[in-house]
Amino acid sequence: MSTAPSPAPAARAGSTPSPTRSVPAARTLADPDTPFAVVDAHRTRRNIARLRDRADRLKVALRPHVKTAKSPDAAALLHDGSPGPVTVSTLAEAEAFADAGHRDITYAVGIEPRKLPRAIALSRRGVTLRVLLDSTEQAAFVAAAARESGTVLPTLIEIDCDGHRGGLRPDAPGLTGIGRVLHEAGCLDGVLTHAGESYFRHTAEEQREAARNERDAAVAAAGRLRAAGLPVATVSVGSTPTAHAADDLTGVTELRAGNYVFFDLVMAGLGVCDLDDLALSVVVTVIGHRPEYGWIVTDGGWMAMSRDRGTAAQAQDQGYGLVADLSGALIPGLVMTAASQEHGTLTARDGAVLPDLPIGTRLRVLPNHACATAAQHHGYHVIDGSRGEVAAPAVESYWPRVSGW
Amino acid sequence: MSTAPSPAPAARAGSTPSPTRSVPAARTLADPDTPFAVVDAHRTRRNIARLRDRADRLKVALRPHVKTAKSPDAAALLHDGSPGPVTVSTLAEAEAFADAGHRDITYAVGIEPRKLPRAIALSRRGVTLRVLLDSTEQAAFVAAAARESGTVLPTLIEIDCDGHRGGLRPDAPGLTGIGRVLHEAGCLDGVLTHAGESYFRHTAEEQREAARNERDAAVAAAGRLRAAGLPVATVSVGSTPTAHAADDLTGVTELRAGNYVFFDLVMAGLGVCDLDDLALSVVVTVIGHRPEYGWIVTDGGWMAMSRDRGTAAQAQDQGYGLVADLSGALIPGLVMTAASQEHGTLTARDGAVLPDLPIGTRLRVLPNHACATAAQHHGYHVIDGSRGEVAAPAVESYWPRVSGW
């Protein structure tokens, strides 16, 4: 964990600069000016242990996606303090995690050919950086870049298991041709898929089914490549719902998931976690009352929470978030129902009485979507929830976030 | 405009750090790795001149809200290069704009009493920082802080003109009492209101009506304070729609608006601007094709665009944004209809044929809500659209953004 300021990263030509890394001084959650993001490290550790145990039972390696926390400090909890395998969503993350000692990184967004020089630079630093693609065009670019640079660029072919964003269907005619182009350049590493549909599967059985479908798609694609005489080392699957639902991952070599480190209201709505597993919240302060409308107004708007309203599509719409007191205890019926840039509006539902919260009262709002809410902040004030519910939890450390591309 | 790196701001105890300020090197929009934000300074200047002319005709001072661009470089265009009056949404903005030479700043979010030391610190630096409030509790905190610190804290009373977020109704019984508490501490400056409802008024006549209502509420509240023997120097109104619709601002001393500097699809949907007034866009790159679904996949997801879907509530839902080529020319019928964290999905509508855009093609996506999209980026690559539509517009400069609180 960061306990002292570290220098600002140097600007890189053609990219946006990253935030400075410094550690604001705060004794408790009563100290920093609001709004700010808080992580309960106790819940984070518990969430991490739960999925690690599952992966061990399923006899599959775990490659957590760090796109949610985007924090090398948080990632230190993933593999008992050592920099283990991770998945990233941007090259800025890959570079920051390489700086933090990680040497086994999968960049799980289809590669834009102009970004290959940054991938090669990481490779030259001793990082095994896997890239992803789903077209012959991209494969030709990767093969050419590997040959010209004399580096190995281990590459995964993206498989589409359920009709979300990128990938080839497992039975796509072009699959083996892409595999061959990569193999001839020494770059074929395997296949990767992501069950995007699992976020819309609302029962445990539907999520198990999504996990089986995800596994079947990846294993089938790997089988077709092997049948064509091509070596497949990695068969990678994962999403937070399917990682927690899978009952048999035969043929799969690694499991990815990211959101589970913090969880959020969308995941609780899907039944993947309980509300008391949510490790990320945003501390806000009451700045006004509108009794004529039944509103409490806070200084945390969408800039602090993000515009994400993932639960709007679920059975229980949680607005912009559920509201707890500063200790973390949920206040029954209190919901953040509206947001402008720097204002949040809290209202009571389900017949609850609007609580009496004077100007200056600090509250913690649990977000719809941890990935989106975390991205609105430069870092996290970290508390240890295992100490029980105290009025103003002590701040143990500050974890800066990686941002930009 | 920034042309050389400036030092990273020092970390302040209790706050999150701001990003470093450095200037990525880029010759044209073909150079930086995608996604990244672009501002057309020509359109920005034109938008600024349009509202300045309106304010001049209405004989009212203009105090632009800098919460959209959050850039002292962009603000330099507001008042012909000199640091004129501005409105801010966070104290981090106030401090950054003070660093850039601004001495007349209104912080237009109800004051959280614990933030008063930062307001006093700005005052001691010679900044006239107006704060906002709408309760006797807050007024008592401000009066006590002003007396104890020996500083003047000019304060505006927030007036609610249409039932959005904070403020007192103009006829609220408590209004004059708050005014008296402030006046006795030498802090009463005036009243401020914001027509939040104007974003939901879809005709020019409805917007004019919203502007009249906003003016009437502010002027009525000022009149009540004056009738009670209290001095009112500032009568402040504004929102981007009402600022562009107002036909008579008698009794008003200043007009605020922020979004108009960039405009966006929500404002175009309201008829406040045309599509070719939109000054902010996000450059993304094609990374895949899914002909079976009619999709083009890009490397710009909600992390680059934000989760804001403001046009979903308008007659024409624009998805996550309209798509232009790198020169800025809109591609008819092409819309960004879905987003995951780092993937965007483009589809054709209105019978348009999906264009043939090879892997590596750069595009510009026009956002729903400039304030939210801009907040996803550390700064802007700035182009000059007056040079006409060129394939890869030249990058004139880089404007860093202020972020955090």
Side-chain angles (χ1 to χ4, degrees):
Chain A
M1 291 183 228
S2 294
T3 52
S6 53
R12 196 162 17 72
S15 82
T16 49
S18 298
T20 51
R21 297 181 165 208
S22 55
V23 185
R27 249 181 352 102
T28 77
L29 294 188
D31 291 335
D33 282 345
T34 51
F36 61 92
V38 172
V39 165
D40 181 336
H42 172 64
R43 293 182 176 189
T44 302
R45 283 193 190 91
R46 201 171 60 194
N47 297 338
I48 286 169
R50 177 181 165 206
L51 189 60
R52 197 166 41 196
D53 290 350
R54 277 192 62 80
D56 288 349
R57 283 203 304 280
L58 290 163
K59 298 188 183 2
V60 69
L62 192 58
R63 178 184 294 280
H65 205 315
V66 297
K67 79 185 182 80
T68 303
K70 291 204 186 199
S71 153
D73 298 304
L77 307 183
L78 294 169
H79 300 284
D80 293 321
S82 67
V86 293
T87 313
V88 299
S89 67
T90 65
L91 286 173
E93 283 166 64
E95 289 156 351
F97 277 77
D99 291 346
H102 288 263
R103 290 293 172 267
D104 183 1
I105 302 175
T106 294
Y107 170 42
V109 174
I111 188 72
E112 202 275 270
R114 289 198 45 147
K115 293 177 182 165
L116 284 168
R118 286 168 71 187
I120 291 166
L122 282 164
S123 172
R124 289 189 171 144
R125 289 175 59 184
V127 175
T128 299
L129 181 82
R130 283 175 187 78
V131 299
L132 185 69
L133 54 75
D134 66 358
S135 68
T136 311
E137 276 167 283
Q138 287 165 301
F141 277 116
V142 166
R147 288 198 180 97
E148 283 162 25
S149 66
T151 52
V152 175
L153 288 169
T155 302
L156 299 163
I157 303 175
E158 185 171 8
I159 305 300
D160 170 18
C161 65
D162 58 11
H164 287 261
R165 66 197 196 204
L168 292 160
R169 298 289 308 173
D171 59 357
L175 177 64
T176 50
I178 293 172
R180 195 157 290 119
V181 170
L182 293 172
H183 178 55
E184 285 168 4
C187 295
L188 179 62
D189 184 71
V191 295
L192 176 149
T193 192
H194 166 69
E197 184 64 17
S198 66
Y199 301 104
F200 308 95
R201 293 282 167 259
H202 290 84
T203 69
E205 181 48 37
E206 284 177 339
Q207 285 165 15
R208 257 193 304 278
E209 192 48 51
R212 287 178 198 135
N213 176 64
E214 185 182 47
R215 172 203 61 195
D216 290 347
V219 171
R224 281 189 61 212
L225 290 165
R226 288 178 181 134
L230 300 166
V232 175
T234 298
V235 180
S236 179
V237 303
S239 73
T240 285
T242 55
H244 289 79
D247 52 4
D248 180 354
L249 290 178
T250 305
V252 166
T253 65
E254 69 174 28
L255 188 60
R256 305 180 327 279
N259 181 285
Y260 77 101
V261 171
F262 290 162
F263 281 130
D264 53 30
L265 292 173
V266 165
M267 288 298 146
L270 290 173
V272 180
C273 66
D274 294 324
L275 287 177
D276 67 4
D277 294 322
L278 271 56
L280 176 72
S281 58
V282 177
V283 179
V284 304
T285 304
V286 174
I287 59 167
H289 301 92
R290 304 301 310 274
E292 62 274 46
Y293 303 125
W295 297 347
I296 295 170
V297 180
T298 76
D299 65 357
W302 59 252
M303 188 64 82
M305 298 305 298
S306 89
R307 273 291 197 195
D308 198 291
R309 290 274 294 100
T311 60
Q314 296 189 332
Q316 175 70 74
D317 184 344
Q318 307 284 26
Y320 281 91
L322 295 183
V323 184
D325 66 20
L326 197 59
S327 80
L330 279 168
I331 300 176
L334 195 62
V335 185
M336 178 174 164
T337 40
S340 50
Q341 187 161 337
E342 299 291 348
H343 297 82
T345 304
L346 313 183
T347 59
R349 72 174 174 204
D350 301 333
V353 175
L354 202 66
D356 180 23
L357 301 173
I359 299 273
T361 304
R362 292 188 169 215
L363 301 166
R364 283 163 64 187
V365 185
L366 303 178
N368 279 261
H369 187 175
C371 311
T373 300
Q376 303 297 107
H377 298 270
H378 293 140
Y380 315 100
H381 286 84
V382 181
I383 62 170
D384 177 0
S386 70
R387 302 187 175 195
E389 286 178 0
V390 294
V395 172
E396 309 279 332
S397 57
Y398 181 80
W399 294 346
R401 268 179 62 88
V402 181
S403 61
W405 291 270
Chain B
M1 293 182 226
S2 295
T3 51
S6 54
R12 197 163 17 72
S15 80
T16 48
S18 299
T20 51
R21 296 179 166 210
S22 55
V23 185
R27 248 181 354 101
T28 76
L29 294 189
D31 291 335
D33 282 345
T34 51
F36 62 92
V38 173
V39 165
D40 181 336
H42 172 64
R43 292 182 177 189
T44 301
R45 284 194 190 90
R46 201 171 59 194
N47 297 337
I48 286 170
R50 176 180 166 205
L51 189 60
R52 197 164 43 195
D53 288 350
R54 276 192 63 79
D56 288 347
R57 282 201 306 277
L58 290 162
K59 297 188 185 2
V60 69
L62 191 58
R63 179 184 293 280
H65 205 314
V66 297
K67 79 184 180 79
T68 304
K70 292 206 185 198
S71 154
D73 298 304
L77 307 183
L78 294 169
H79 300 284
D80 293 322
S82 66
V86 293
T87 313
V88 299
S89 67
T90 65
L91 285 174
E93 282 165 66
E95 289 156 351
F97 277 77
D99 291 345
H102 288 262
R103 289 293 173 268
D104 183 0
I105 302 176
T106 293
Y107 170 41
V109 174
I111 188 72
E112 202 276 89
R114 291 199 42 150
K115 294 177 183 166
L116 284 168
R118 286 168 70 187
I120 291 166
L122 281 164
S123 171
R124 288 189 171 144
R125 290 174 59 184
V127 174
T128 300
L129 181 82
R130 285 175 186 78
V131 299
L132 185 69
L133 53 76
D134 66 358
S135 69
T136 311
E137 277 167 283
Q138 287 164 301
F141 277 115
V142 167
R147 287 199 180 95
E148 282 162 26
S149 65
T151 51
V152 175
L153 288 169
T155 301
L156 299 162
I157 303 176
E158 185 172 8
I159 304 302
D160 170 18
C161 64
D162 57 11
H164 286 262
R165 65 195 196 204
L168 293 160
R169 297 290 307 174
D171 59 357
L175 176 66
T176 51
I178 292 171
R180 196 158 288 117
V181 170
L182 293 172
H183 179 54
E184 285 168 4
C187 295
L188 179 61
D189 184 71
V191 296
L192 175 149
T193 192
H194 166 69
E197 183 65 15
S198 67
Y199 300 104
F200 308 96
R201 294 283 166 258
H202 289 84
T203 67
E205 182 47 38
E206 285 177 339
Q207 286 164 15
R208 255 193 305 279
E209 191 48 51
R212 287 178 198 134
N213 176 63
E214 184 182 49
R215 172 203 63 197
D216 290 348
V219 171
R224 281 189 63 211
L225 290 165
R226 288 177 182 135
L230 299 167
V232 175
T234 298
V235 180
S236 178
V237 303
S239 74
T240 286
T242 54
H244 289 78
D247 52 3
D248 180 353
L249 291 177
T250 305
V252 166
T253 66
E254 69 175 28
L255 188 60
R256 305 180 327 279
N259 180 284
Y260 77 101
V261 170
F262 290 162
F263 282 128
D264 53 29
L265 292 173
V266 165
M267 288 298 147
L270 289 173
V272 179
C273 65
D274 294 324
L275 287 177
D276 67 6
D277 293 323
L278 271 58
L280 176 71
S281 58
V282 176
V283 179
V284 303
T285 305
V286 173
I287 59 168
H289 301 93
R290 304 301 309 273
E292 63 273 47
Y293 303 125
W295 296 348
I296 295 169
V297 180
T298 76
D299 65 357
W302 58 253
M303 187 64 82
M305 297 305 299
S306 90
R307 273 291 197 195
D308 199 293
R309 291 276 293 100
T311 59
Q314 296 189 332
Q316 175 70 72
D317 183 343
Q318 307 284 27
Y320 281 90
L322 296 182
V323 184
D325 65 22
L326 196 59
S327 80
L330 279 169
I331 301 176
L334 195 62
V335 185
M336 178 174 163
T337 40
S340 50
Q341 187 161 336
E342 299 291 349
H343 298 83
T345 303
L346 314 183
T347 58
R349 72 175 175 203
D350 302 334
V353 175
L354 201 66
D356 179 23
L357 301 173
I359 300 274
T361 305
R362 294 189 165 213
L363 301 165
R364 283 163 64 187
V365 185
L366 302 177
N368 278 260
H369 187 175
C371 311
T373 299
Q376 303 297 108
H377 298 269
H378 294 140
Y380 315 100
H381 286 82
V382 181
I383 62 172
D384 177 0
S386 70
R387 301 187 176 195
E389 287 177 0
V390 294
V395 173
E396 309 279 332
S397 58
Y398 181 82
W399 294 347
R401 269 179 62 88
V402 181
S403 61
W405 291 270

